[in-house]
Amino acid sequence: RVILGEAFKINPDNEEIWLAAVKLENDNAETQRARTLLEKARVQAGTERVWMKSVMLERDAGDHDAAMRLLREALAKYPKFDKLWMMLVQVNKAAGRPDEARRAYEEGTALNPTSINLWIVAVRFEREEGQVTKARSMLEKARLKNSKSPELWLEAVRLENSTGGSARELDGEQEARVDTVGAGAAGVPAQRHPVVGGDPDGARQQRKAKSVDAIKHCENNPFVICTVARLFHSDRKLEKARTWFNRAVTLNPDFGDAWAYWYKLELQHGTDETRAEVLKRCGDANPRHGELWQRLCKTPGAKYADAKEKMLAVVRMVQEQL
């Protein structure tokens, strides 16, 4: 606190100093001190991130009304900051206001049509609400505006896989859009056959075929490498799975999901030594990204001491989804 106090004297308008001070108080469970600092920061610095952290503080404290009030003020100042719209969707959903959440993403995507993350939040909201047709419609609209986004194609694949029993042919127009996307980060090239629903062997063969094509297109993509490792794990080819998980985290140590999936394998089939090694390496890498990793970190009220705790929580999340 003394050091930060000296820094304030030199740089009173510096966003990083304000947020470092807020983090210090938050980490020490001094919520009111953090709140007071953020009130001053909104006047002194008033940046997008300061407003976002203010909303996060109230959301994590369980004060949805205060979070909503701050969100409205922040959006009036920064309507092009997509993370605020994502938070508005999440706060309304948590408060049991699905119609308000829907209006939030509709308004947000209208103002930020190129925000891939905001479109994905909207699609997942509708999927979780059981509105699969609406989710598909949102994806179509998103891909029209962002035709070269591999993340949106990946989300389309996940949506179809999550629907379970129904197989759906891609029509000509959709195929044309898929072709423009390529493998990219999704690691899923265009396919000319329906998504397989009820045939486990057919689905497994399809996944393998996609993986081979994805590796050809993206041989150094950590997401693709991790996906292949998970396929080896599901087929109980454990040493191959370990090799590919190691390759994924070597390519990108910041990819938290890969660490978690690897540790899950060691929980099921490893030893105390192999589990300890993965846990230590993850702690040393201190990853900050990954789809599941980010979802966990952004859960209201979520606080973890270090990367090891986060990884164990992600593993629990994965196990609960099975």
Side-chain angles (χ1 to χ4, degrees):
R1 287 182 180 135
V2 173
I3 294 172
L4 285 169
E6 292 298 319
F8 275 128
K9 292 178 183 178
I10 301 170
N11 298 292
D13 300 330
N14 187 283
E15 173 195 87
E16 293 297 334
I17 297 173
W18 281 107
L19 294 181
V22 170
K23 184 177 187 302
L24 175 66
E25 301 301 348
N26 243 340
D27 290 347
N28 287 282
E30 295 286 354
T31 303
Q32 188 53 50
R33 281 177 176 266
R35 184 178 284 116
T36 301
L37 279 170
L38 283 167
E39 288 173 0
K40 294 178 181 178
R42 292 197 297 275
V43 174
Q44 194 75 31
T47 64
E48 298 167 334
R49 288 182 65 213
V50 165
W51 279 94
M52 181 179 73
K53 294 293 184 182
S54 299
V55 175
M56 289 172 65
L57 178 77
E58 301 303 341
R59 181 197 67 185
D60 293 346
D63 191 340
H64 294 295
D65 290 338
M68 185 64 67
R69 176 178 55 78
L70 287 167
L71 263 174
R72 291 299 184 189
E73 290 184 51
L75 284 167
K77 294 175 180 290
Y78 300 108
K80 296 288 189 178
F81 189 38
D82 59 349
K83 289 184 178 180
L84 291 173
W85 291 106
M86 293 181 224
M87 293 177 75
L88 185 58
V89 174
Q90 292 161 354
V91 169
N92 276 309
K93 181 183 176 185
R97 296 190 291 260
D99 291 340
E100 291 295 321
R102 193 168 281 116
R103 275 193 286 273
Y105 80 62
E106 288 173 349
E107 190 174 349
T109 52
L111 288 166
N112 301 273
T114 60
S115 171
I116 305 303
N117 288 331
L118 182 54
W119 283 110
I120 289 175
V121 164
V123 170
R124 290 180 183 170
F125 169 78
E126 294 298 354
R127 185 181 70 186
E128 289 164 9
E129 288 291 306
Q131 301 296 321
V132 176
T133 300
K134 178 72 172 174
R136 287 191 185 119
S137 174
M138 292 301 301
L139 270 170
E140 286 297 306
K141 189 174 180 181
R143 289 206 296 261
L144 278 172
K145 296 178 181 293
N146 304 276
S147 62
K148 295 186 181 297
S149 168
E151 292 85 1
L152 290 174
W153 171 236
L154 173 59
E155 194 63 25
V157 172
R158 286 175 173 161
L159 176 64
E160 296 311 321
N161 286 341
S162 73
T163 60
S166 61
R168 188 168 66 96
E169 286 281 359
L170 296 174
D171 63 30
E173 183 182 2
Q174 288 170 316
E175 286 183 322
R177 290 181 201 148
V178 169
D179 286 340
T180 67
V181 172
V188 184
Q191 300 294 316
R192 301 290 185 181
H193 45 70
V195 176
V196 177
D199 178 6
D201 291 331
R204 185 179 296 110
Q205 291 303 317
Q206 187 181 34
R207 288 196 301 269
K208 287 181 179 178
K210 287 183 179 181
S211 297
V212 170
D213 285 343
I215 292 167
K216 290 178 182 176
H217 287 84
C218 317
E219 61 179 340
N220 291 317
N221 185 304
F223 177 87
V224 173
I225 302 303
C226 180
T227 301
V228 173
R230 290 172 61 195
L231 284 173
F232 281 132
H233 181 189
S234 66
D235 288 342
R236 292 185 174 272
K237 297 178 180 178
L238 303 181
E239 289 310 311
K240 284 188 176 182
R242 287 187 175 102
T243 299
W244 284 74
F245 278 130
N246 184 60
R247 184 178 169 190
V249 299
T250 300
L251 282 167
N252 185 5
D254 194 45
F255 185 20
D257 291 7
W259 289 108
Y261 280 117
W262 188 1
Y263 192 77
K264 176 175 173 253
L265 178 149
E266 300 302 344
L267 276 179
Q268 294 174 338
H269 305 289
T271 64
D272 289 343
E273 289 75 15
T274 59
R275 287 188 282 272
E277 181 186 358
V278 175
L279 198 61
K280 180 183 183 304
R281 287 180 60 188
C282 178
D284 292 343
N286 192 25
R288 298 181 183 276
H289 293 93
E291 182 183 354
L292 297 175
W293 199 272
Q294 289 286 296
R295 191 186 309 171
L296 177 84
C297 294
K298 292 177 181 178
T299 302
K303 291 185 179 180
Y304 302 96
D306 53 25
K308 295 178 183 178
E309 276 195 16
K310 289 178 185 175
M311 185 184 74
L312 294 173
V314 172
V315 172
R316 288 193 295 272
M317 181 194 300
V318 171
Q319 290 172 330
E320 288 168 4
Q321 291 174 348
L322 295 178

